[in-house]
Amino acid sequence: MNIYIDRSDREILRARARHQQELAHMERNEKLIQMWYDHNELQGERPMIHLEMETFSHEILPGRMHCRGEFARMVEKQILDNYLNQELFDDDRVTPDYYPLEYDRWFTLFGIEVRVQHADTLSGSESLGHHFIPVLQDLEEDYHKLKQSDFGVDIASTMKKKEVIEEAIGDILPVKLITACLYSVPTQMLVHIMNMQDMMLAMYDYPELFQEMMGRIAEDTIAWYRLMEEKQIFLPTTAGEPLGQGSWCYNRTLPTDPGRPLVSSDLFGFMDSQETVGISPEMFEEFIFPCYQKIASQFGLLSYGCCEPVHPIWDRCLSRLPNLRKVSISPWCDEEYMGEQLRGSRVIYHRKPSPNFIGVDRYLDEDAFRRHIRRSLLAAAGCEMEITQRDVYTIHHDIEKARRYIRIIREEIAGYWQKG
């Protein structure tokens, strides 16, 4: 990519930057920042709400994107992402008063390039339907393919991007280097190079070899963290840095300025293991959890889980992670059980409602959705609660439906939420 912004795109971006700053300094937005801090410190007054736009952004961005250059469009998309939730949906997402820029970094598990085959579409655009082309099939026969993982950071390219963006908008919107949470998903990386069936069979056919492989994933991941510490590119995860799963890092627990270079234990981390829902809790504890526990111990705080139900492995595994601060309560999770487990704890009940209510039918079934969200609120009574709506692939181009969706959540919170 040519890291360049021409004059016409520059004027578009400057207008976008001014608008972001206006929204960022609104009283409500500044209040939301303090609410997120209180929430993540387990002192919030009510559940925080976020409608994640990324999966249906194809219905939102095309008519709003005006830049022509490839790099300029990337910058424009980021600015729009910074403020459109506040402007369109009125949820609790904060509009930052800066342009966030992460370091260019990479981690390639075992040095194996991930290959993806997408389904054909009539329009020729990339389809959601895809599968990963496996490199590993029989673990014993293919074990020689597992080389040292390849990882690193490109500081030069990052600083070049920062320079170009600052030249375009820096006098309006500061460009801030950030570190997003340390995102580690070992089993996802595995099924990207080894199909799920073969991964499951490998635990049975070659248990010791599989455990050795998982141990190597943990060691390589930690080596990557050590490299980033050596490069001194870790930055605080104590404010609006992305935490994954539609959440943010705002907290007063982790260090902002310890007076020394930051290390991984100063940062927020995220992990999940959606790919292992087909194995028993006992097998998860034996084959998967040792790797996850070793990596999780490197973080200061941890957020865990995506779509997988966490209740089967809560007691045997997840409850043993002392730095756990958030856990995902997905549509496939036993809400009531997890409410009982988290009530009065220091772990946030991060509820992910079913996307079917907003994303399937053209018109919102308000009564059905109220019952759905009310059940979650009652299940989480006495917990610290957060609500993130994810995995919505269409809102049928109906922004008002999305706004109404958020209003219903607020109304149900007002009527049924009980923290104490």
Side-chain angles (χ1 to χ4, degrees), residues 205-271:
D205 292 334
Y206 311 112
E208 293 181 357
L209 205 57
F210 189 91
Q211 289 171 320
E212 178 183 310
M213 176 177 66
M214 293 301 294
R216 287 179 59 183
I217 294 175
E219 291 169 3
D220 287 358
T221 301
I222 293 170
W224 185 38
Y225 297 161
R226 298 292 89 85
L227 173 69
M228 289 188 283
E229 290 170 357
E230 179 184 326
K231 299 288 187 181
Q232 298 188 15
I233 67 163
F234 279 157
L235 297 165
T237 52
T238 55
E241 300 80 26
L243 182 52
Q245 299 296 302
S247 191
W248 290 273
C249 293
Y250 295 101
N251 70 88
R252 305 182 187 99
T253 300
L254 300 173
T256 297
D257 183 12
R260 54 166 171 76
L262 293 176
V263 296
S264 66
S265 58
D266 295 321
L267 273 58
F268 229 129
F270 171 85
M271 303 188 79

Side-chain angles (χ1 to χ4, degrees), residues 104-285:
D104 292 332
R105 59 189 190 187
W106 71 90
F107 182 94
T108 305
L109 183 64
F110 301 133
I112 298 174
E113 180 184 356
V114 174
R115 296 180 295 164
V116 186
Q117 182 177 21
H118 286 268
D120 294 331
T121 63
L122 293 176
S123 66
S125 61
E126 190 173 85
S127 169
L128 289 173
H130 65 276
H131 83 277
F132 295 94
I133 301 171
V135 176
L136 307 178
Q137 293 177 323
D138 183 282
L139 183 59
E140 185 175 59
E141 291 181 4
D142 292 335
Y143 200 76
H144 67 279
K145 297 178 182 179
L146 306 186
K147 310 300 183 183
Q148 175 71 37
S149 295
D150 177 50
F151 48 79
V153 56
D154 191 335
I155 296 176
S157 71
T158 305
M159 299 312 293
K160 175 62 176 177
K161 291 176 183 177
K162 184 173 186 288
E163 177 186 347
V164 171
I165 300 170
E166 282 182 330
E167 192 281 327
I169 63 171
D171 58 322
I172 303 171
L173 194 66
V175 180
K176 179 182 177 182
L177 287 171
I178 68 165
T179 298
C181 73
L182 296 181
Y183 199 94
S184 181
V185 285
T187 55
Q188 182 183 101
M189 290 189 292
L190 262 187
V191 299
H192 286 179
I193 60 175
M194 179 183 202
N195 71 48
M196 195 175 299
Q197 176 177 297
D198 290 335
M199 181 184 76
M200 300 290 189
L201 290 173
M203 296 182 215
Y204 180 84
D205 292 334
Y206 311 112
E208 293 181 357
L209 205 57
F210 189 91
Q211 289 171 320
E212 178 183 310
M213 176 177 66
M214 293 301 294
R216 287 179 59 183
I217 294 175
E219 291 169 3
D220 287 358
T221 301
I222 293 170
W224 185 38
Y225 297 161
R226 298 292 89 85
L227 173 69
M228 289 188 283
E229 290 170 357
E230 179 184 326
K231 299 288 187 181
Q232 298 188 15
I233 67 163
F234 279 157
L235 297 165
T237 52
T238 55
E241 300 80 26
L243 182 52
Q245 299 296 302
S247 191
W248 290 273
C249 293
Y250 295 101
N251 70 88
R252 305 182 187 99
T253 300
L254 300 173
T256 297
D257 183 12
R260 54 166 171 76
L262 293 176
V263 296
S264 66
S265 58
D266 295 321
L267 273 58
F268 229 129
F270 171 85
M271 303 188 79
D272 70 36
S273 186
Q274 301 177 89
E275 300 72 28
T276 53
V277 294
I279 67 175
S280 68
E282 292 80 7
M283 287 187 71
F284 184 90
E285 183 179 26

